[in-house]
Amino acid sequence: MTSTQSPPDAAPVGPPPLAPPARRRGRPGRVRVRDRGMSRAFRWLATGAGALILVVLAAVAVFLVVKAWPAITEPTDQLVAEVPWLHGASSLLSFVGPLIFGTVLAAALALLIATPIALGIALFISHYAPRRLAAGLGYVVDLLAAIPSVVYGLWGGLVLAPFVQPVWSWLGETLGWIPFFSGDVSPTARVLLTVGLVLAVMILPIITAVSREVFLQTPRLHEEAALALGATRWEMIRTAVLPFARSGIISAAMLGLGRALGETMAVLMILSPGFLYSFKLLVAGQQQTIAANIAAQFAEASPMSVSALIATGLALFVITLFVNMTARWIVSRRKDFSGAN
Amino acid sequence: MAQRIDVKDLNIYYGDFKAVADVGMAIEPRSVTAFIGPSGCGKSTFLRTLNRMHEVIPGAHVEGTVAVDGVDLYGADVDPVAVRRQVGMVFQRPNPFPTMSIEENVLAGVRLNNKRISKSDAADLVEVSLRSANLWTEVKDRLNRPGSGLSGGQQQRLCIARAIAVKPQVLLMDEPCSALDPISTLAIEDLISELKSAYTIVIVTHNMQQAARVSDRTAFFNLAGVGQPGRLVEIDDTGTIFSSPREQATEDYISGRFG
């Protein structure tokens, strides 16, 4: 990988095995110099691509901070006067707080619903299904990812919400003593639990696809080691496949969480918004997410309103960063046992 | 603990392809039986039928009988999982579970078979198994470290400890030393000689000196050509096979004239 190495097979194709060394001896510098040129170019290309990510990330962060700055520094009473949708919040922070809460709650719900199902599908495709069925099923799951979020929003609002409403009513009646299901169940079911369900469907493909790939990477050797010890198929999966795939599963879940945190259209079209710190999943007008709020307010926003909206966007950016760093930390905690050494 | 294996008229297939044909042999308890032969002759494939690991590959199946202590492994009501708990296996490349510590690796099979094992019993079992695999003194201070941090030879002995921790009747070894250096190889060979007092051991090897050193009986496999099934040419006491084999093909192979 270092530029000083010059692999012997990099010589031009064609001459018989003995020719390249002879040729190199004849003209010492030439082959090596050309090699070094190419590998240098490639090194710059790779470094540049890596740096580009950092530049883009920094550019986004700078944009968010600069544009949000007026709203962050504006005295609260003026801000409330200028921005109609603050709903009389006493400060920008006390307005962003419930939005962050709603965003994280919706995304966590989606993750909670989607991850077990996605892992089940991925395991079925990688280790249980007959080969032909597995290929078809993998394709269908990938297809789910291709559906635009507007369509999910329409479907969630027009089809899923009326469909699940009786279930939500039943939940409210029988399990109402659990805080999550307490309160008056919305007759339209345009509530956070419905949103969580739709978001779960939306992040299902990415979690499934990534974890399926990771499951398929499990070395055959380790699977056979488990089987030869007398493991059933499930025990083999538990001893060899799942521990090996652990970091991959976490990465997959984080990718899904990232999408759920930022999802806009589907939430906007389904949820009846509210700005409370509320755990009531079945009651309308309780929560709202950052992204959906930005989309809802952006069209008729004054410059100061836009700045306030961007401030909420900055909060979303920070949350996402924090979530990813936490995931990295979880993955790295048991690095010695990852099998990478 | 050790038990006798009787193989009769065994044909082994990968899908429609017949990989090994008409094998019949008796493997004696408390002895080491070595399988030798050129690459592709089906000795590893045959070894994997002795604990029903062959059928793990899609489409793979067998005809015939393999009886361990009189019970046919391929009988209708025999559970392959139960078979593998009786017949342990060590693979060509060391394969300790990378996500488990040394201790957990040794206990992996026991945890599958019998989940309730007291802490002191577990500690005893770890020590006994690692001692029988001649690994205890090297790892006793780092039982909580990952098994994948050991050297190749140590990893292979860890795999042997893991296999014997479940107290199998038979131990199958598929070229256990082919990925190891000569010193580790010697350590494993010494271990095999020690283990044969308690287990029936079957070993596949490409190294004829190794077969001569460790085994009591040797089976020579050969194949007529590419696309032809492999066959058992002869099985006899190791001394006989290496000094005066009955078949010309065996003598040619052993004296290095082909293969």
Side-chain angles (χ1 to χ4, degrees):
Chain A
M1 252 177 276
T2 54
S3 58
T4 46
Q5 282 176 340
S6 74
D9 11 324
V13 197
L18 270 178
R23 188 177 152 167
R24 205 185 294 165
R25 219 174 293 135
R27 277 183 284 176
R30 211 183 141 205
V31 173
R32 286 187 63 190
V33 166
R34 204 203 294 154
D35 253 351
R36 196 188 284 168
M38 276 311 287
S39 35
R40 182 187 290 169
F42 186 75
R43 194 178 63 201
W44 282 112
L45 203 68
T47 314
L52 190 67
I53 286 291
L54 290 179
V55 170
V56 169
L57 197 69
V60 171
V62 167
F63 157 80
L64 286 173
V65 171
V66 167
K67 291 288 181 180
W69 197 249
I72 295 171
T73 51
E74 184 86 349
T76 305
D77 45 343
Q78 283 181 36
L79 190 70
V80 172
E82 273 182 74
V83 182
W85 42 264
L86 278 187
H87 301 292
S90 59
S91 72
L92 188 61
L93 203 64
S94 66
F95 172 71
V96 175
L99 280 181
I100 293 176
F101 174 82
T103 306
V104 172
L105 186 60
L109 264 181
L111 200 62
L112 209 65
I113 300 169
T115 309
I117 300 174
L119 294 184
I121 298 173
L123 273 181
F124 178 72
I125 293 174
S126 67
H127 283 86
Y128 283 92
R131 213 173 285 178
R132 233 177 259 171
L133 181 64
L137 203 62
Y139 181 71
V140 170
V141 172
D142 287 346
L143 214 63
L144 274 181
I147 300 174
S149 56
V150 176
V151 176
Y152 274 116
L154 283 172
W155 172 73
L158 299 177
V159 180
L160 188 69
F163 180 76
V164 294
Q165 206 283 327
V167 183
W168 288 178
S169 295
W170 178 85
L171 270 180
E173 278 165 31
T174 46
L175 298 174
W177 47 272
I178 301 173
F180 291 113
F181 304 133
S182 62
D184 298 325
V185 177
S186 158
T188 57
R190 290 180 170 273
V191 294
L192 203 69
L193 195 55
T194 313
V195 170
L197 213 54
V198 174
L199 287 180
V201 177
M202 295 177 75
I203 66 177
L204 201 63
I206 183 89
I207 302 181
T208 306
V210 173
S211 40
R212 181 192 62 199
E213 283 308 310
V214 181
F215 292 153
L216 287 173
Q217 301 284 320
T218 314
R220 186 95 196 116
L221 216 55
H222 297 149
E223 293 180 4
E224 292 200 337
L227 289 176
L229 282 172
T232 60
R233 189 160 0 187
W234 164 238
E235 286 168 339
M236 180 268 280
I237 286 170
R238 229 184 38 205
T239 42
V241 179
L242 289 181
F244 179 83
R246 186 173 164 276
S247 63
I249 293 171
I250 294 176
S251 303
M254 287 309 126
L255 279 174
L257 186 61
R259 181 161 187 207
L261 283 171
E263 177 46 43
T264 312
M265 272 328 275
V267 182
L268 185 68
M269 295 170 76
I270 297 168
L271 189 61
S272 144
F275 298 88
L276 308 169
Y277 290 104
S278 165
F279 279 110
K280 292 173 181 161
L281 304 180
L282 300 179
V283 183
Q286 303 287 306
Q287 307 92 348
Q288 172 69 310
T289 73
I290 293 175
N293 185 58
I294 293 177
Q297 310 293 350
F298 197 78
E300 37 202 285
S302 65
M304 187 51 74
S305 289
V306 170
S307 181
L309 287 176
I310 291 176
T312 63
L314 181 62
L316 184 60
F317 183 77
V318 172
I319 296 172
T320 315
L321 218 60
F322 177 74
V323 162
N324 275 301
M325 279 158 71
T326 314
R328 290 267 158 196
W329 176 73
I330 294 172
V331 170
S332 69
R333 239 181 358 165
R334 271 172 64 92
K335 208 188 210 161
D336 287 355
F337 290 86
S338 72
N341 48 353
Chain B
M1 261 201 297
Q3 287 183 338
R4 167 191 175 86
I5 307 174
D6 287 296
V7 180
K8 231 183 270 168
D9 306 325
L10 196 70
N11 291 302
I12 311 174
Y13 299 86
Y14 289 104
D16 295 331
F17 174 65
K18 195 185 217 179
V20 181
D22 303 327
V23 176
M25 68 165 71
I27 297 171
E28 300 296 332
R30 292 198 167 75
S31 70
V32 179
T33 304
F35 295 169
I36 59 170
S39 294
C41 69
K43 50 194 189 308
S44 289
T45 301
F46 174 56
L47 186 79
R48 287 167 65 95
T49 62
L50 299 182
N51 68 341
R52 295 192 66 168
M53 279 298 286
H54 174 65
E55 66 206 68
V56 167
I57 298 159
H61 60 106
V62 304
E63 290 165 358
T65 60
V66 177
V68 172
D69 224 26
V71 180
D72 183 13
L73 297 186
Y74 289 91
D77 53 349
V78 174
D79 180 5
V81 169
V83 169
R84 292 175 202 140
R85 286 175 185 183
Q86 282 183 28
V87 184
M89 189 163 197
V90 175
F91 294 81
Q92 187 169 356
R93 279 176 50 208
N95 56 356
F97 296 117
T99 52
M100 294 183 188
S101 69
I102 292 170
E103 184 174 9
E104 287 167 338
N105 260 291
V106 176
L107 292 173
V110 186
R111 291 254 154 83
L112 292 175
N113 294 332
N114 166 26
K115 269 148 201 133
R116 277 158 216 263
I117 177 168
S118 76
K119 254 195 180 151
S120 61
D121 284 355
D124 289 347
L125 183 64
V126 168
E127 180 170 347
V128 168
S129 306
L130 286 172
R131 274 192 198 283
S132 356
N134 290 337
L135 191 61
W136 174 251
T137 46
E138 290 160 66
V139 300
K140 65 178 180 212
D141 300 323
R142 44 174 172 158
L143 293 175
N144 293 318
R145 299 297 304 151
S148 49
L150 300 173
S151 77
Q154 288 172 327
Q155 285 189 23
Q156 194 62 300
R157 276 179 281 154
L158 177 59
C159 293
I160 293 174
R162 179 177 66 186
I164 59 185
V166 294
K167 304 194 169 60
Q169 322 269 2
V170 180
L171 198 55
L172 309 177
M173 297 182 160
D174 188 357
E175 297 184 46
C177 303
S178 66
L180 306 181
D181 67 274
I183 294 171
S184 306
T185 300
L186 203 64
I188 304 263
E189 286 180 7
D190 288 346
L191 176 57
I192 291 171
S193 309
E194 286 169 30
L195 291 175
K196 81 171 177 186
S197 59
Y199 300 93
T200 306
I201 295 177
V202 184
I203 178 172
V204 167
T205 178
H206 267 296
N207 180 334
M208 280 182 279
Q209 286 81 19
Q210 182 170 64
R213 281 193 300 263
V214 302
S215 73
D216 302 304
R217 287 171 70 77
T218 298
F220 173 62
F221 289 77
N222 201 1
L223 75 173
V226 178
Q228 304 278 331
R231 285 169 193 280
L232 173 65
V233 176
E234 66 175 304
I235 175 168
D236 213 326
D237 290 338
T238 300
T240 314
I241 288 278
F242 281 93
S243 58
S244 51
R246 273 175 289 134
E247 302 288 333
Q248 185 62 34
T250 314
E251 191 173 343
D252 288 351
Y253 183 73
I254 286 164
S255 56
R257 253 169 272 170
F258 85 99

